[in-house]
């Protein structure tokens, strides 16, 4: 099986010179490779992760099932019950760069988390181009449904689709990639790469702090002029912070297309939603097809809300559970149950947490005597997978700061037909049918 390569193959490795050339292919990117080495020296792993076609197809099936249920009015109403008020505003777009994170085990992949504004897609695209294979068999493997040479175009078309689904014509004139103090962010180099990508397709782009934005007379702008589309990398998912007021007001006024947006996070990425997707009785009551129910219940780690009334039962079962804050990100304040102290347990009970079935991560040997953990992220848009990537790490959670770890390409066998799925049909809506 292809997964045995994760144990035995150390021959496919990162070509450092090819990586540098790929990062600095654009003349304006001179020095960016050095910035990545200084800012995030362990962001790229040296080895890929091998995943079977069976598991790749199973992950895609889970994603389709999630998206089909997420389109149901009953699901959306349930998800919005615990969401902030801003999430009820519907901008008419699905939101760019959804990330579906899976742990892969002997019994198949299990979805553990869904993220909006999933970082790393462009870094992983460059990484996939800088791999050196040891033989023709390895060289024949693919990184996902889209050839690496086409990924940047697909990403740009995704933003164009967001623009058109929001009712605009043509292309945005100017894009802002926005995060708090972006120069200090761990993935700041990727922000710069995205700005270059937009420019290559003829759209002006800038990396901005939200404090540089103003909104007046129906126009979102910075010191250089109007901004039409915002690629939102903020972790203030509901745009509640005072510093984000201009962006929030422009979003609600439809003065700028913001992607991903608060509604996308509320519908998909709030971890309490996994309790809906793993509740068999609720799925039946919504009329979800039996096959879809089976896909969800088999393919998602079972998740439940933490409540004081269940304190004794959850504490007793804690060694088989992982506890996560409902609206957290980046593994912050997340705890393996077997590591919990009574003090932390008190904090969990006083917060908004979910308890998730503990699903062990995959394993990637990085040498004859050493192994690390791995998970697999599916970057998707409107339910269609664009790119597969892995994260190799040590410790409780992924952090991209472990020597020997980092983002890694996922290599799998091509689809049986040899074809690639058609991804972004600008302005179209996903074809979804769920209930019998």
């Amino acid at each position: 099986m292809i997964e045995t390569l994760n144990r035995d193959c150390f021959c496919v490795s990162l070509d450092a010179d090819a990586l540098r050339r790929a990062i600095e292919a654009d003349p304006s990117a001179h020095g960016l490779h050095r910035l990545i080495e200084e800012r995030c020296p362990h962001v790229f792993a040296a080895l890929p992760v091998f995943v079977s076609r069976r598991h790749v197809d199973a992950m895609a099936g889970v994603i389709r099932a999630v998206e089909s249920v997420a389109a149901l009015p009953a699901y959306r109403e349930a998800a919005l019950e615990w969401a902030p008020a801003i999430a009820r505003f519907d901008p008419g777009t699905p939101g760019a760069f959804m990330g579906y994170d899976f742990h892969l085990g002997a019994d198949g992949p299990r979805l553990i988390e869904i993220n909006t504004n999933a970082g790393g897609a462009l870094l992983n695209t460059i990484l996939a181009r800088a791999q050196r294979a040891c033989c023709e068999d390895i060289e024949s493997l693919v990184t996902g449904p889209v050839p690496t040479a086409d990924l940047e175009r697909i990403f740009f078309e995704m933003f164009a689709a967001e623009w058109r689904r929001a009712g605009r014509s043509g292309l945005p004139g100017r894009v802002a990639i926005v995060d708090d103090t972006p120069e200090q962010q761990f993935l700041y180099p990727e922000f710069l790469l995205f700005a270059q990508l937009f420019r290559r397709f003829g759209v002006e782009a800038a990396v901005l702090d939200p404090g540089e934005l103003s909104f007046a007379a129906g126009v979102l702008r910075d010191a250089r002029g109007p901004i039409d589309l915002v690629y939102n990398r903020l972790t203030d998912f509901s745009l509640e912070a005072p510093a984000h007021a201009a962006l929030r007001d422009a979003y609600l006024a439809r003065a700028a297309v913001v992607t991903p947006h608060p509604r996308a996070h509320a519908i998909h990425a709030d971890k309490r939603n996994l309790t809906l997707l793993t509740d068999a009785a609720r799925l039946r009551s919504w009329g979800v097809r039996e096959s879809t129910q089976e896909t969800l219940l088999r393919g998602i780690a079972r998740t439940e809300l933490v409540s004081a009334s269940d304190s004794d039962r959850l504490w007793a079962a804690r060694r088989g559970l992982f506890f996560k804050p409902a609206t957290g990100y980046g593994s912050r304040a997340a705890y393996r149950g077997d590591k919990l102290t009574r003090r932390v347990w008190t904090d969990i009970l006083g917060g908004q947490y979910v308890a998730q079935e503990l699903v062990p991560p995959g394993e990637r040997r990085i040498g004859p005597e050493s192994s690390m953990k791995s998970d697999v992220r599916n970057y998707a848009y409107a339910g269609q997978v664009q790119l597969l990537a892995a994260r190799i790490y040590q410790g409780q959670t992924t952090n991209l700061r472990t020597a020997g770890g980092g983002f890694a390409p996922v290599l799998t066998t091509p689809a049986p037909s040899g074809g690639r799925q058609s991804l972004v049909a600008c302005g179209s809506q996903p074809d979804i049918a769920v209930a019998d």
Side-chain angles (χ1 to χ4, degrees), residues 55 60 65-66 96 119 138 160 176 181 194 209 217 224 227 282-283 302 340 342 353 376 393 425:
H55 283 173
V66 169
I138 296 297
T181 57
F194 268 108
D209 182 282
R224 295 182 57 194
I227 292 166
R282 194 185 292 252
L283 294 173
R302 189 178 183 281
L340 281 182
R342 282 288 186 179
Y353 269 76
V376 173
Y393 65 100

Side-chain angles (χ1 to χ4, degrees), residues 46-396:
L47 296 172
V49 170
F50 298 94
V51 179
S52 71
R53 168 55 52 182
R54 174 174 59 90
H55 283 173
V56 168
D57 291 344
M59 289 187 288
V62 172
I63 292 167
R64 289 193 299 270
V66 169
E67 290 288 340
S68 66
V69 173
L72 292 173
Y75 168 89
R76 295 195 165 209
E77 192 56 38
L80 291 173
E81 285 182 4
W82 46 51
I86 195 173
R88 293 194 173 270
F89 173 75
D90 185 356
T93 63
F97 282 124
M98 203 71 70
Y100 289 82
D101 295 344
F102 289 83
H103 283 179
L104 273 57
D107 58 346
R110 307 288 297 282
L111 178 69
I112 61 164
E113 198 160 291
I114 304 172
N115 295 287
T116 51
N117 71 8
L122 201 46
L123 290 171
N124 278 296
T125 298
I126 292 170
L127 178 63
R129 294 176 184 163
Q131 297 299 303
R132 182 176 54 235
C134 60
C135 63
E136 289 185 5
D137 287 342
I138 296 297
E139 205 167 68
S140 69
L141 300 179
V142 298
T143 58
V146 180
T148 54
D150 296 339
L151 277 167
E152 291 185 356
R153 174 183 58 82
I154 289 294
F155 294 158
F156 179 78
E157 289 179 359
M158 171 178 58
F159 286 101
E162 289 285 282
W163 177 253
R164 291 166 186 163
R165 288 179 175 186
R168 268 67 164 183
S169 60
L171 293 173
R174 190 155 177 260
V175 171
I177 300 137
V178 173
D179 202 352
D180 291 316
T181 57
E183 296 87 351
Q184 298 177 25
Q185 296 296 329
F186 181 71
L187 291 183
Y188 173 61
E190 185 175 56
F191 300 171
L192 299 177
L193 288 169
F194 268 108
Q196 293 166 12
L197 182 149
F198 284 115
R199 292 176 194 134
R200 282 200 298 276
F201 284 91
V203 176
E204 183 54 42
V207 179
L208 298 175
D209 182 282
E212 298 177 75
L213 302 175
S214 63
F215 178 59
V219 178
L220 181 69
R221 64 173 63 242
D222 72 342
R224 295 182 57 194
I227 292 166
D228 303 305
L229 185 145
V230 173
Y231 175 22
N232 174 25
R233 295 291 292 250
L234 292 165
T235 53
D236 173 14
F237 302 114
S238 55
L239 305 178
E240 291 178 336
H244 305 154
L247 179 59
R248 179 178 63 249
D249 292 346
Y251 167 68
L252 292 173
R254 301 185 187 272
V257 175
V258 177
T259 184
H261 46 72
R263 186 176 178 88
H265 183 271
I267 295 296
H268 286 88
D270 189 307
K271 294 174 183 60
R272 288 169 290 193
N273 296 342
L274 295 177
T275 70
L276 306 175
L277 295 168
T278 56
D279 185 335
R282 194 185 292 252
L283 294 173
R284 284 194 301 272
S285 73
W286 290 341
V288 175
R289 290 188 185 127
E290 191 71 30
S291 59
T292 302
Q293 292 182 46
E294 291 174 2
T295 298
L296 295 172
L297 297 175
R298 181 178 62 251
I300 303 177
R302 189 178 183 281
T303 309
E304 62 178 306
L305 297 175
V306 173
S307 66
S309 61
D310 285 330
S311 173
D312 292 342
R313 176 180 63 82
L314 292 172
W315 177 259
R318 69 190 183 280
R319 288 180 175 80
L321 298 172
F322 203 99
F323 296 88
K324 300 178 180 181
T327 58
Y329 63 92
S331 303
R332 288 167 172 78
Y335 304 97
R336 278 179 58 114
D338 58 357
K339 307 293 186 184
L340 281 182
T341 64
R342 282 288 186 179
R343 183 194 62 77
V344 172
W345 181 238
T346 300
D347 294 341
I348 289 173
L349 291 176
Q352 294 181 327
Y353 269 76
V354 299
Q356 187 175 78
E357 172 190 2
L358 184 61
V359 179
E363 185 175 287
R364 179 53 163 120
R365 292 185 69 182
I366 60 172
E369 305 297 330
S370 58
S371 297
M372 299 182 76
K373 301 172 184 177
S374 68
D375 68 2
V376 173
R377 170 168 288 178
N378 289 245
Y379 293 93
Y381 180 62
Q384 294 183 306
V385 178
Q386 301 163 315
L387 172 67
L388 300 168
R391 292 174 293 183
I392 298 175
Y393 65 100
Q394 287 288 33
Q396 178 172 283

Side-chain angles (χ1 to χ4, degrees), residues 1-9 50-55 105-108 413:
M1 295 177 66
I2 195 170
E3 291 97 329
T4 61
L5 292 169
N6 292 319
R7 184 187 66 235
D8 300 329
C9 181
F50 298 94
V51 179
S52 71
R53 168 55 52 182
R54 174 174 59 90
H55 283 173
D107 58 346
T413 52

